[in-house]
């Protein structure tokens, strides 16, 4: 996909406040990209969607583990054909010392 990028780099403030949790997050972004700079009518709809499983689990009183696993499903609509990219993203694992 060209023209833009989608990311889910933010863990959120709640991940620091809660001692433990397991949850699911959903991100949705929509862009209209110009297919041709000199023609106003040709635009591409681009959709970037991510479902992310995330958790913070205490191992003991001083150590917690934070993990997240995203699944991406992106779509780009063009005049010729629709392009779909789906799959698991980068697994993230961090430790917190309380």
């Amino acid at each position: 996909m060209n023209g833009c990028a989608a990311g889910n780099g933010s863990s959120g403030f709640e991940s620091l406040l809660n001692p433990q949790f397991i949850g699911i997050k959903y991100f949705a972004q929509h862009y209209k990209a110009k297919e041709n700079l000199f023609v106003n009518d040709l635009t591409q709809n681009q959709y970037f969607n991510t479902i992310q499983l995330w958790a913070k689990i205490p191992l003991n009183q001083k150590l917690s583990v934070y993990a997240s696993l995203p699944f991406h499903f992106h779509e780009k609509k063009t005049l010729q054909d629709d392009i779909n990219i789906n799959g698991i993203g980068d697994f993230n694992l961090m430790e917190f010392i309380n």
Side-chain angles (χ1 to χ4, degrees), residues 8 68-72 87-93:
N8 58 351
S68 66
L69 180 65
F71 181 81
H72 303 288
I88 294 176
D90 293 333
F91 177 68
N92 183 17
L93 182 65

Side-chain angles (χ1 to χ4, degrees), residues 14-30:
E14 68 277 3
S15 66
L16 298 175
L17 296 178
N18 292 319
Q20 63 186 16
F21 64 86
I22 296 175
I24 297 174
K25 288 198 251 185
Y26 175 70
F27 303 93
Q29 299 174 338
H30 172 242

